[in-house]
Amino acid sequence: MDHDNHLSRKTVLKAALAAGASVPIAMAGVPALARTARDSGGSPVFTPACDDGDDPTPAQTEGPYFKPNSPRRTSLVDASTQGTRLTVTGFVFGAACRPIANVLLDFWQADTNGAYDNSGYRLRGHQFTDAQGAFSLTTIVPGLYPGRTRHIHVKAQAPNRPVLTTQLYFPGEPRNSTDTIFDPELLMTVRANGPAREASYDFVLNVPQSPGPGDPSDPTDPPTGGAWKAGAAYRAGDRAAYGGRSYACLQAHTAQAGWEPPNAPALWRAQ
């Protein structure tokens, strides 16, 4: 990927947010964003994410405490579980930055005291991404044990594809600098929500995909012109009229209500 001349989806979203433009949470064709605020209505938070050709999420060791056949559930806690409550949300994307449905995500972790349940399935469970490639996990902030920083284990497997085994980390942890396998590319974005914590991470799997409508590499989507129209697929360089003015498209995207050219300076430039 030409990092000097290519406007990534993540760059466009950052620019739109900085400019105060209206950016819907579910941005079709621009998925490089962890939607930590899809329920709260707050501003999205960026994490290591799919960025038009970036490397897939790095693999890490399984460790000694994985157990197969975990129960299917999105919450690993109950009323008796001790520790700071943590919600982890995100999406799973493939090689073309498009979400993948029905990805198996198997999570396991230490309890608040740094111990793993090796006789049962406490703080262990698996789930599948929904039709939009999204997942949500309710758990606790894991405790520390000798030699490691705080982390959550996960196995991710798209349908009929190899398994990615990796770990997720917490920013600002003192032991991040001494943990021999810590990888900053696996840092979650974490914020406080009262006494609880909310985290986000988007996985990128090495799964071949065809580009979708509006992607710059999609040769079947012809340039459009005339008046701006929601639902139209625009390419960089296309022109559209809105409110009596002409605008040039800066980044390929599929138009949505709220992204009218005056409201989306990261996508359109007035001529």
Side-chain angles (χ1 to χ4, degrees):
M1 178 173 68
D2 186 347
H3 290 277
D4 294 328
N5 299 315
H6 181 76
L7 279 176
S8 73
R9 297 185 174 105
K10 186 159 56 179
T11 299
V12 170
L13 275 172
K14 286 182 177 177
L17 289 170
S22 175
V23 181
I25 295 296
M27 187 173 182
V30 190
L33 179 68
R35 288 81 169 176
T36 60
R38 64 184 163 185
D39 296 325
S40 65
S43 297
V45 179
F46 295 93
T47 68
C50 194
D51 193 7
D52 296 344
D54 280 358
D55 292 335
T57 299
Q60 290 220 312
T61 179
E62 177 182 283
Y65 301 122
F66 173 70
K67 290 182 61 176
N69 304 316
S70 68
R72 181 175 179 177
R73 56 191 180 189
T74 59
S75 176
L76 307 185
V77 303
D78 56 33
S80 65
T81 305
Q82 297 181 346
T84 300
R85 292 298 191 265
L86 171 69
T87 301
V88 183
T89 59
F91 288 73
V92 180
F93 300 109
C97 289
R98 308 200 65 77
I100 309 176
N102 297 316
V103 174
L104 171 64
L105 294 169
D106 198 345
F107 296 96
W108 72 102
Q109 66 171 84
D111 64 17
T112 192
N113 297 313
Y116 287 82
D117 179 10
N118 296 317
S119 59
Y121 288 94
R122 184 166 49 91
L123 295 173
R124 300 174 183 270
H126 73 270
Q127 60 178 279
F128 295 86
T129 57
D130 65 15
Q132 287 73 48
F135 71 91
S136 179
L137 175 71
T138 301
T139 183
I140 61 167
V141 175
L144 294 167
Y145 60 89
R148 293 303 317 276
T149 190
R150 297 186 202 276
H151 61 280
I152 297 174
H153 294 269
V154 58
K155 287 181 179 286
Q157 183 178 23
N160 302 311
R161 298 294 301 178
V163 177
L164 167 70
T165 301
T166 191
Q167 302 180 32
L168 299 179
Y169 295 99
F170 295 76
E173 288 290 327
R175 291 195 187 180
N176 286 351
S177 61
T178 59
D179 190 314
T180 58
I181 67 169
F182 168 77
D183 187 337
E185 291 188 37
L186 296 169
L187 279 170
M188 297 182 290
T189 297
V190 182
R191 67 180 183 182
N193 182 11
R197 299 290 182 270
E198 293 180 349
S200 60
Y201 191 86
D202 290 345
F203 294 92
V204 182
L205 301 183
N206 189 15
V207 174
Q209 293 177 314
S210 299
D215 282 352
S217 57
D218 184 2
T220 66
D221 191 18
T224 58
W228 181 91
K229 181 180 180 182
Y234 292 99
R235 295 179 183 227
D238 283 354
R239 295 179 182 272
Y242 187 88
R245 298 195 66 177
S246 176
Y247 292 85
C249 179
L250 302 177
Q251 169 73 24
H253 67 283
T254 299
Q256 296 188 31
W259 297 0
E260 294 83 359
N263 297 330
L267 300 177
W268 295 97
R269 182 179 62 241
Q271 299 297 290

